[in-house]
Amino acid sequence: MSGLPGTALGYDTRCLLHDNGSMVVDRQPAGWIEVDHAENANRVERAYAVLAASGVLARLEVLPTREATIEELLLVHTEAHVEWILEACAKVDAPAAAGHPEVMLVGPEARVGRGSNQAALIAAGTAIEAVDHVCRVDSSQPAATSAHRAYSLTRPPGHHASAGQAMGFCLFNNAALAVRHSQLAHGVERVAVLDWDVHHGNGTQAVFYEDPNVLFISLHQDGLYPSDEGLITERGAGEGVGANVNVPLPAGTGDAGYLAALEQVALPAIADFDPGLIVLSSGQDAGACDPLGRMSVTAEGFRAMTADIVALAEESCEGRIVAIQEGGYSLDHMPFCVLATVEVLAGLEASLAADPVEMDVPKLISPAETEAIRNAARAAGIA
């Protein structure tokens, strides 16, 4: 493959400044050893470094990065939520001499620190820029060089943030903002959101739960986080009934199980929905080495899943895919999973013959995984 002209990557070093503090919440043991928060700057910094070292970065367009405006945030979030997050950021950005904390809790497992304000706004704004890039129409260029895909490699992530609540490392819902912007600015009527982060995308689900024009599909570890959400019975409400699909998978699910879930549930649902754009909530914490998940997906699993999505997008929405970074907390494995995903999006040959990280993972799909996928398909009305 020679590569798809126009594929772009958004990355901004200002997103590295967002600080979640320590993963240890008890002050006594926190003083014994230094434990970085799982959602730290090294996640995206190392992924970017791998893209650069592999030569892939040089074959991508540069996606502009910018801060989202207040008006753009209000496409998804309540005015009270936006004010709360920005006011909290202002407090921690104040001089230490004023007695303000360095890190402040703003929701369940969601914090802001010095640098969070700009990082959160850039993550949201870059997701919006990704939509503009993918949906642009350049009459001076032949169709083969039109922009079809973009990857927003930013932080903090967003899929746990609802309209009025920060949660789970997420402040603003970047994927939801991308969806709303595509509809309002580009006239995309129907958008499919595929979330394969290991945690359920409860915030995105909540935003679109009654919207018949947004199909939300989540492949996630059953009962992980939030432990009481992401059930197959959650199918939407009101006019949105049927436009919400959850595929909770057993702990330990690997490449075979994820591909089966994608091919037997997610892809048929997206094809039937016939979207004008696919937004991919691209978390790599289903990876086999991730400290916050218990799944067994390899970089090659992410490569295969991305290839399936690309093939479907070419048939259903002229290849338009916006991928937005969500979770992924293994500093050694996540970068290679991002690399595999971006290479497929860009139509590039694989830089590596196999996942370079040594690991023991299941190769076959288990009976429990097969049953979970069958149940999810049945709940979604897929034969």
Side-chain angles (χ1 to χ4, degrees):
M1 291 182 288
S2 60
L4 179 71
T7 302
L9 181 94
Y11 176 79
D12 194 311
T13 56
R14 291 173 292 180
C15 286
L16 306 181
L17 301 178
H18 171 54
D19 183 12
N20 282 296
S22 172
M23 204 68 179
V24 179
V25 295
D26 188 316
R27 289 191 176 185
Q28 184 179 12
W32 296 345
I33 57 173
E34 184 175 340
V35 180
D36 288 338
H37 197 278
E39 203 294 288
N40 63 68
N42 289 326
R43 301 172 55 241
V44 297
E45 188 174 35
R46 286 166 71 98
Y48 186 79
V50 165
L51 290 169
S54 66
V56 169
L57 185 63
R59 304 177 72 176
L60 303 173
E61 285 192 18
V62 176
L63 179 69
T65 62
R66 65 169 176 85
E67 295 183 10
T69 66
I70 300 298
E71 290 74 17
E72 287 169 335
L73 295 176
L74 293 176
L75 294 176
V76 166
H77 296 287
T78 65
E79 185 174 352
H81 175 71
V82 173
E83 290 179 353
W84 163 241
I85 297 299
L86 297 184
E87 287 173 2
C89 288
K91 288 181 179 179
V92 296
D93 277 337
H100 293 300
E102 293 187 1
V103 177
M104 181 174 171
L105 189 70
V106 292
E109 294 81 41
R111 311 175 191 177
V112 297
R114 289 167 193 169
S116 297
N117 188 334
Q118 196 169 40
L121 293 176
I122 288 172
T126 302
I128 291 170
E129 284 289 327
V131 170
D132 287 342
H133 180 84
V134 167
C135 294
R136 74 184 181 189
V137 177
D138 188 347
S139 59
S140 68
Q141 298 293 329
T145 62
S146 297
H148 291 298
R149 300 166 201 161
Y151 196 107
S152 178
L153 183 61
T154 54
R155 60 184 289 270
H159 73 151
H160 292 308
S162 62
Q165 174 76 71
M167 182 177 182
F169 313 163
C170 302
L171 305 179
F172 300 123
N173 195 312
N174 309 315
L177 288 165
V179 171
R180 285 294 183 236
H181 180 74
S182 74
Q183 293 175 318
L184 294 173
H186 297 282
V188 180
E189 183 178 354
R190 297 160 70 85
V191 182
V193 181
L194 175 62
D195 186 332
W196 63 40
D197 187 284
V198 78
H199 307 100
H200 179 243
N202 62 298
T204 312
Q205 173 175 292
V207 170
F208 300 119
Y209 206 60
E210 298 184 23
D211 191 334
N213 293 315
V214 180
L215 172 66
F216 176 69
I217 304 176
S218 178
L219 278 59
H220 53 272
Q221 183 179 324
D222 190 13
L224 182 58
Y225 184 89
S227 60
D228 58 347
E229 297 193 50
L231 306 178
I232 60 174
T233 53
E234 296 168 2
R235 296 283 289 127
E239 293 183 355
V241 169
N244 198 87
V245 177
N246 284 315
V247 189
L249 296 166
T253 302
D255 293 355
Y258 264 83
L259 282 167
L262 191 69
E263 293 167 1
Q264 295 176 32
V265 184
L267 297 183
I270 295 172
D272 184 63
F273 189 72
D274 192 26
L277 170 70
I278 295 174
V279 172
L280 175 62
S281 273
S282 180
Q284 295 81 33
D285 38 10
C289 300
D290 201 274
L292 297 189
R294 297 296 180 268
M295 295 308 212
S296 302
V297 182
T298 69
E300 296 315 298
F302 283 104
R303 186 184 306 279
M305 289 196 294
T306 307
D308 277 352
I309 291 298
V310 165
L312 177 61
E314 291 294 342
E315 295 178 359
S316 65
C317 55
E318 300 180 7
R320 290 193 289 266
I321 301 173
V322 167
I324 298 172
Q325 188 64 49
E326 298 288 1
Y329 305 101
S330 169
L331 300 183
D332 298 325
H333 193 220
M334 174 198 168
F336 298 109
C337 298
V338 172
L339 172 68
T341 299
V342 172
E343 284 177 332
V344 177
L345 289 176
L348 299 172
E349 295 287 353
S351 300
L352 302 168
D355 193 316
V357 179
E358 187 174 4
M359 63 185 84
D360 294 325
V361 293
K363 302 297 183 183
L364 303 177
I365 188 170
S366 72
E369 293 161 24
T370 299
E371 181 66 16
I373 294 165
R374 183 182 298 119
N375 291 338
R378 187 180 299 117
I382 299 170

